[in-house]
Amino acid sequence: MAMTMTGEVQLPASREVVWQKLNDAEVLKACIPGCEELNKTSDTEFQAVAVTKIGPVKAKFKGKVQLTDLDPPNGYRISGEGDGGIAGFAKGGATVALSDKDGGTLLTYNVEAQIGGKLAQLGQRLVNGAAKKLADDFFRNFAASVEKA
């Protein structure tokens, strides 16, 4: 099952500050819903463990995340894949772009994701709703972390 999401968030900080936070493992770990571990293995790679619940299925995903197409402080592509055991798998990516707007930074994102296994059997509507909530929660948490800076 494939899905796409797009959105934007206005952040009250310079592009440089937002860029630094987008590349900080501790900030990302605190912002990703259900993230238990996020360890930087290189300048562009992370190992991750996250727990998520979609409908009746709760899964612990273990996987890796990679940053590519780095264009500091304008954006990058983040992609990853995770194995949730019996619950299935998830993989996808997002293009993140930063631009100056209204004395702060406008973060625009475009996400494509695929899931398979038990999770895909839950139905498009439930999965899309859960995916949108996860993305919204991440960006709300990220905006809060930027405001603290």
Side-chain angles (χ1 to χ4, degrees), residues 48-129:
V49 176
V51 175
T52 190
K53 186 173 190 308
I54 300 177
V57 179
K58 183 176 181 182
K60 179 181 268 196
F61 286 91
K62 295 179 181 180
K64 58 184 172 192
V65 177
Q66 188 171 23
L67 307 179
T68 55
D69 302 336
L70 287 109
D71 180 18
N74 303 308
Y76 60 39
R77 177 163 177 74
I78 183 168
S79 52
E81 53 186 86
D83 183 356
I86 195 164
F89 71 88
K91 65 180 176 179
T95 303
V96 177
L98 305 176
S99 56
D100 295 328
K101 184 176 178 195
D102 298 335
T105 300
L106 182 67
L107 183 154
T108 306
Y109 61 92
N110 188 337
V111 178
E112 325 86 47
Q114 289 181 308
I115 60 165
K118 229 182 218 185
L119 287 172
Q121 297 169 4
L122 292 173
Q124 187 91 23
R125 195 182 217 165
L126 179 62
V127 171
N128 281 348

Side-chain angles (χ1 to χ4, degrees), residues 33-56:
C35 188
E36 294 182 345
E37 291 178 36
L38 186 67
N39 301 309
K40 198 168 191 172
T41 55
S42 78
D43 284 347
T44 59
E45 292 183 320
F46 302 88
Q47 292 279 59
V49 176
V51 175
T52 190
K53 186 173 190 308
I54 300 177

